[in-house]
Amino acid sequence: MFPSWPIRFHHHTPVVGSSKSGGGGGGGEESTDSGSAANTLSTTVPESPVSTKPSSSDHHHLQPPQMDGAGGFSQSHQTAGRQTPEKTLRRLAQNREAARKSRLRKKAYVQQLESSRIRLTQLEQDLHRARSQGIFLGGGGVAGGSISSGGAIFDMEYARWLDEDLRHMSELRTAVQAHLTDGDLRVIVDAYISHYDEIFRLKGVAAKSDVFHLITGMWATPAERCFLWMGGFRPSDLIKMLISQLDPLTEQQIMGIYGLQQTSQQAEDALSQGLEQLQQSLIDTIANGSINDSMHHMAVALGKLANLEGFVRQADNLRQQTLHQLRRILTVRQAARCFLVIGEYYGRLRALSSLWASRPREALQMADDNSCQTTTDLHMVQSSQNQFSNF
Amino acid sequence: MHFCYYGTESAAVWWNDSYTIPAAKHSVSLTDDHPLERIQKMASANAVVIFSISTCCMCHAVKRLFSGMGVSPTVHEIDQDPTRQADLETALLRLLGGGSSPVPAVFIGGKLVGSMDSVMASHISGTLVPLLKQAGALWL
């Protein structure tokens, strides 16, 4: 792609007696018929009629000093006789030249990567859009790392739901600060509950078309995925978090909240054990499939996999019931503040994911200097990543 | 025969407090062998009755939920008698008001509570424990 020889060597393609040069071979002729674009650089100095094979020490005498930017072509090499310093100087110059070429190549490559990346994300967006519109054509899941149409649709709806969530949160915040009447506040609080009901409904639809997308948490941010339980948040974790954050509660409310923590924990354990049994059953089916009977075993395994949808549905049902029960236990004002806490909490978790993704990694950025610096930088990155993994 | 339940509306067409069977009118003759009759009999026999299929994982989950609460339910694995399984499944599905699966189907004190979602909703809302105590399945 890039000439590995310094450009000046193009001047020395053989012209003496060469049939390539067409009429008249012979000396004094510029090697313009080599066709190299580099020859445009050498317009001034005619070649001497000597052997054009580049000799070791003195060919660069003939070299027109037109190379710029390399910073090395001083005129001092015209003094004859001192081969060693000339050799050294030539070597240094060649090194500088090679380094410069290398930098230019790297720069071009990086630019190519950047533009390819932009093109790729644009293509992916187009593909998602096309797939989601194509769902009525019976678009099913695509194998491998690509997203299915059901998953893509859910991601879009979830993104819309997140925007809605921000709107609800600001409405709640304003309402709490404005000291509205209980009646007015109730409307806003109930609207927030319906907002959550909506995402559970959407997840139910998504579970039918792509339960794996939900259960692996690909729709959620990495930090949320870390705490994922059966395709969503763990209700008892939410209650535990809220216990420390809620307003002073009455005795009865405290009993209610702790009761809710206990019942949600029990329900979670039951569902987890059911899912474990499903997984074990699936493992047995897959492991015991014989070659003769493989299609049958695959069919059985598929049937078992279908039960995953039921578990994700029940888990979402549990989440929904937990939120409704919270609403019942708390007063309107307490519920408003409670939902603000919940929204704030998940907002922070999502922000944490973004911060993590964009955390400073200047060591990985290509420096404009010598490429050998990159190796040391990679070592630095590896050691700092080890620090994070111990976290 | 008096079979009340605690669940969906479509089953209410079949069973309510004042339901009596005019002998000639109804096309369905509820003999002892009728699946609905059998279900009712089994459901009334114990405080907590679960209709299950031995390979069903959601049934396993509901059983774990009750045992986690210290309740020992009576479990009927309807796949143990394959000749009657289909009838029972149809009947249970109808009682549950449609839905994706006839099992698990949970009865407490002879009354239908429903499937896993109903049981969990009842537990979260705090109504399950009083129901269990009332049926004698749980003591303080």
Side-chain angles (χ1 to χ4, degrees):
Chain A
M1 186 162 117
F2 292 97
S4 54
W5 295 84
I7 292 175
R8 62 175 183 268
F9 283 127
H10 283 263
H11 298 298
H12 298 278
T13 49
V15 289
V16 176
S18 161
S19 56
K20 279 193 283 184
S21 34
E29 199 170 306
E30 284 261 71
S31 54
T32 51
D33 46 5
S34 69
S36 164
N39 283 332
T40 55
L41 287 172
S42 65
T43 49
T44 53
V45 177
E47 284 194 6
S48 68
V50 295
S51 160
T52 55
K53 224 173 170 24
S55 62
S56 56
S57 61
D58 56 353
H59 83 276
H60 62 269
H61 283 261
L62 310 168
Q63 184 53 217
Q66 80 275 30
M67 304 307 288
D68 55 321
F73 274 85
S74 68
Q75 303 290 324
S76 62
H77 61 269
Q78 286 173 4
T79 57
R82 267 177 248 155
Q83 297 203 356
T84 318
E86 281 165 358
K87 265 193 187 173
T88 314
L89 285 168
R90 184 169 69 111
R91 191 170 40 78
L92 290 173
Q94 282 174 356
N95 284 347
R96 274 190 293 270
E97 186 56 34
R100 193 179 76 92
K101 292 289 182 301
S102 176
R103 285 195 297 277
L104 285 174
R105 276 201 299 276
K106 192 199 296 179
K107 203 169 181 178
Y109 179 61
V110 168
Q111 276 170 3
Q112 207 183 34
L113 277 181
E114 287 294 316
S115 57
S116 296
R117 192 172 60 85
I118 291 171
R119 243 194 334 229
L120 186 64
T121 46
Q122 279 171 355
L123 279 173
E124 275 178 353
Q125 281 171 6
D126 292 344
L127 192 60
H128 289 180
R129 218 173 296 130
R131 275 206 184 129
S132 66
Q133 284 161 10
I135 191 176
F136 297 110
L137 305 174
V142 178
S146 355
I147 199 170
S148 71
S149 35
I153 284 188
F154 178 73
D155 285 357
M156 283 190 324
E157 286 171 330
Y158 180 61
R160 219 177 292 143
W161 187 86
L162 284 175
D163 290 339
E164 276 289 300
D165 197 61
L166 286 174
R167 193 181 59 75
H168 280 281
M169 289 286 292
S170 72
E171 215 180 326
L172 269 170
R173 216 171 278 128
T174 330
V176 166
Q177 285 163 4
H179 301 290
L180 296 180
T181 64
D182 275 8
D184 292 339
L185 201 53
R186 182 172 296 121
V187 171
I188 298 174
V189 167
D190 288 348
Y192 196 62
I193 298 250
S194 304
H195 169 70
Y196 261 96
D197 287 344
E198 178 63 13
I199 191 64
F200 293 128
R201 185 189 71 78
L202 290 170
K203 285 178 85 181
V205 172
K208 282 188 172 50
S209 67
D210 190 357
V211 68
F212 284 115
H213 182 72
L214 288 182
I215 217 170
T216 55
M218 296 319 296
W219 53 277
T221 61
E224 289 173 292
R225 222 175 289 152
C226 194
F227 300 107
L228 207 74
W229 173 78
M230 253 185 238
F233 67 84
R234 191 183 270 273
S236 59
D237 280 351
L238 183 69
I239 303 297
K240 271 181 227 162
M241 185 274 291
L242 285 172
I243 281 176
S244 57
Q245 301 294 319
L246 286 176
D247 284 329
L249 302 169
T250 67
E251 189 85 24
Q252 192 180 20
Q253 285 176 326
I254 292 174
M255 298 274 291
I257 296 284
Y258 276 103
L260 183 56
Q261 188 188 339
Q262 190 185 33
T263 54
S264 59
Q265 186 71 61
Q266 284 170 338
E268 283 165 25
D269 290 345
L271 284 177
S272 296
Q273 288 178 55
L275 186 62
E276 245 177 69
Q277 198 194 50
L278 178 62
Q279 286 168 340
Q280 193 54 56
S281 165
L282 205 50
I283 290 171
D284 290 342
T285 304
I286 296 172
N288 292 322
S290 66
I291 296 175
N292 295 332
D293 213 9
S294 60
M295 279 315 295
H296 169 69
H297 279 275
M298 283 303 183
V300 171
L302 279 173
K304 290 184 180 178
L305 269 183
N307 289 308
L308 271 177
E309 185 205 325
F311 279 95
V312 174
R313 281 297 299 132
Q314 291 305 329
D316 277 343
N317 182 31
L318 181 62
R319 291 175 196 117
Q320 187 176 27
Q321 292 302 320
T322 305
L323 290 174
H324 280 254
Q325 179 67 0
L326 260 180
R327 172 72 190 90
R328 271 178 235 129
I329 293 174
L330 302 171
T331 66
V332 174
R333 209 152 292 272
Q334 286 170 330
R337 278 188 275 256
C338 172
F339 291 132
L340 273 175
V341 168
I342 292 175
E344 181 66 34
Y345 176 77
Y346 286 112
R348 286 184 200 172
L349 205 53
R350 285 189 283 268
L352 191 63
S353 293
S354 303
L355 285 172
W356 180 258
S358 60
R359 71 191 184 279
R361 285 172 288 188
E362 50 265 352
L364 285 180
Q365 289 167 7
M366 295 294 195
D368 257 348
D369 311 311
N370 265 324
S371 44
C372 65
Q373 191 182 344
T374 313
T375 334
T376 2
D377 292 336
L378 276 174
H379 287 311
M380 278 170 56
V381 169
Q382 278 163 14
S383 63
S384 72
Q385 276 179 347
N386 287 335
Q387 278 181 328
F388 284 123
S389 66
N390 290 332
F391 197 63
Chain B
M1 171 185 48
H2 183 98
F3 185 30
C4 335
Y5 79 98
Y6 199 80
T8 61
E9 295 217 30
S10 63
V13 173
W14 287 81
W15 306 105
N16 58 55
D17 278 351
S18 57
Y19 193 87
T20 52
I21 306 161
K25 262 193 188 173
H26 252 281
S27 49
V28 178
S29 80
L30 296 166
T31 62
D32 273 351
D33 208 32
H34 193 278
L36 280 170
E37 180 74 32
R38 281 207 311 278
I39 288 170
Q40 180 245 315
K41 263 208 174 116
M42 289 189 276
S44 310
N46 297 93
V48 181
V49 176
I50 303 177
F51 290 92
S52 160
I53 289 175
S54 53
T55 54
C56 166
C57 299
M58 196 55 81
C59 300
H60 181 72
V62 89
K63 290 174 212 166
R64 300 307 305 163
L65 180 60
F66 280 111
S67 59
M69 294 165 61
V71 174
S72 315
T74 304
V75 179
H76 295 289
E77 307 281 4
I78 64 176
D79 54 331
Q80 257 168 22
D81 187 354
T83 58
R84 298 187 147 178
Q85 184 179 350
D87 285 345
L88 284 174
E89 283 190 14
T90 318
L92 284 169
L93 203 53
R94 197 181 278 162
L95 274 177
L96 289 172
S100 51
S101 175
V103 291
V106 177
F107 292 78
I108 298 178
K111 296 179 192 170
L112 176 66
V113 175
S115 186
M116 183 56 151
D117 51 353
S118 310
V119 173
M120 274 200 323
S122 167
H123 193 33
I124 293 292
S125 64
T127 56
L128 187 64
V129 167
L131 206 58
L132 287 167
K133 287 182 180 170
Q134 193 185 1
L138 257 187
W139 296 272
L140 269 169

